[in-house]
Amino acid sequence: MQVLEGLKQSIIEGDESKAAQFADRAVVEGIDAKTVLDEALIAGMNVVGERFRSHDIFLPEVLLAAKAMYAALAKIRPLFVKGEMPLLGRVVIGSVQGDLHDIGKNLVGIMLEGAGFEVIDIGTDVAPERFVDEAVAHGAGVIGMSALLTTTMPGMGRVITILKERGLIGKIKVIIGGAPVNEEFCREIGADAYCFDAANSVATVKKLLQIAH
Ligand code: B1M
């Protein structure tokens, strides 16, 4: 599909205005939001990630790609979040301490909102205590943590420790995600579930809160 390929390329090239235009066209053409996300936005960022890894491009280009991604995301967001829906529950999400990556975390937030959850996004570089404090303050049933760096992953385990110390383990469920995170790490730290992508996060949160599909 031409629009999806154009959108993917504009993200790879870090062209914010072209990305916004293609995303607008995708909306007008009525392309399914999940298809836009998977086949253009995430596919584009994957190429950027590979080029960054192989040193074909550097941080400034990655930042431009991220800005283009956000420009497109802003356009397709209404496709995910449609009208009034019954509230299924509250989820506090954030990127762990030391971690400034937020694209994946934001996608998870948008998909959860689209599915009917209230999402309290507490941003990036979030201290472990804050995840727990915010979840308690908002009466959230789930804490969602994102980590993209191997060096920041241990912050997830600290949140579990705090939940245990405060007698909240099991009462507030914990999901984790991000490229370096996996099932094994999830079991190791005692989180409730590992989510490999944004769509999977919705199904997982529903399952944890025992909400019928
Ligand atoms: Co950085 N970066 N980065 N970066 N960056 C990675 C992660 C890296 C793998 C690149 C590489 O070397 N190949 C590498 C980490 C190496 C490691 O630790 N093993 C890296 C590095 C080293 C760094 C810096 C240290 C670079 C430097 O300064 N020298 C620095 C660290 C900054 C910091 O956080 N303190 C840095 C900075 C940046 C930018 C600021 C330039 C930018 C971030 C912009 C932003 O987020 N606003 C950036 C980017 C964009 C990337 C790559 C290229 C792309 C990440 C991304 O957005 N992917 C990344 C390479 C890569 O991952 N291939 C890289 C698209 C996104 C949709 O995928 O986040 O995986 P992802 O999310 C998915 C799933 O993982 C899952 O669902 C999402 C959607 O399907 N998911 C969840 C994610 N979170 C979830 C939470 C859930 C559930 C599912 O529940 C709550």
Side-chain angles (χ1 to χ4, degrees):
M1 219 180 286
Q2 243 184 0
V3 178
L4 292 178
E5 191 50 36
L7 182 49
K8 180 179 163 186
Q9 282 308 323
S10 52
I11 285 170
I12 295 169
E13 289 159 18
D15 189 329
E16 203 176 340
S17 72
K18 226 164 87 183
Q21 283 168 27
F22 274 114
D24 267 338
R25 275 179 55 191
V27 173
V28 171
E29 289 186 18
I31 304 173
D32 166 65
K34 173 108 181 32
T35 307
V36 180
L37 196 61
D38 288 344
E39 292 181 23
L41 305 195
I42 294 180
M45 281 312 292
N46 282 343
V47 174
V48 172
E50 281 155 27
R51 290 188 182 171
F52 185 49
R53 208 185 332 266
S54 55
H55 306 291
D56 289 335
I57 60 168
F58 298 95
L59 276 181
E61 285 102 324
V62 178
L63 269 176
L64 287 177
K67 280 180 86 175
M69 163 106 183
Y70 277 130
L73 205 53
K75 301 285 182 184
I76 66 159
R77 198 166 190 272
L79 300 183
F80 285 100
V81 186
K82 286 187 200 130
E84 289 294 305
M85 280 189 181
L87 181 67
L88 295 183
R90 287 197 183 90
V91 185
V92 162
I93 60 167
S95 302
V96 295
Q97 194 158 44
D99 213 311
L100 301 176
H101 296 87
D102 64 359
I103 297 175
K105 182 259 299 168
N106 292 346
L107 292 180
V108 171
I110 289 172
M111 298 277 286
L112 283 170
E113 258 180 54
F117 291 93
E118 184 185 340
V119 175
I120 299 111
D121 186 340
I122 53 175
T124 57
D125 189 19
V126 178
E129 300 75 20
R130 195 164 159 232
F131 275 105
V132 180
D133 291 344
E134 296 275 1
V136 171
H138 289 95
V142 179
I143 290 176
M145 291 183 275
S146 179
L148 264 287
L149 300 170
T150 43
T151 50
T152 60
M153 285 163 65
M156 295 175 156
R158 287 199 282 279
V159 172
I160 311 273
T161 305
I162 295 168
L163 285 170
K164 281 183 187 153
E165 284 168 359
R166 298 195 193 169
L168 294 168
I169 202 83
K171 293 181 185 145
I172 300 175
K173 306 284 184 193
V174 178
I175 61 163
I176 60 171
V181 180
N182 57 29
E183 286 283 357
E184 196 189 337
F185 178 71
C186 176
R187 275 196 301 275
E188 214 174 275
I189 64 167
D192 291 286
Y194 157 68
C195 303
F196 56 86
D197 70 8
N200 170 249
S201 310
V202 173
T204 305
V205 169
K206 281 185 174 173
K207 202 168 148 196
L208 287 174
L209 297 180
Q210 297 177 327
I211 295 164
H213 289 279

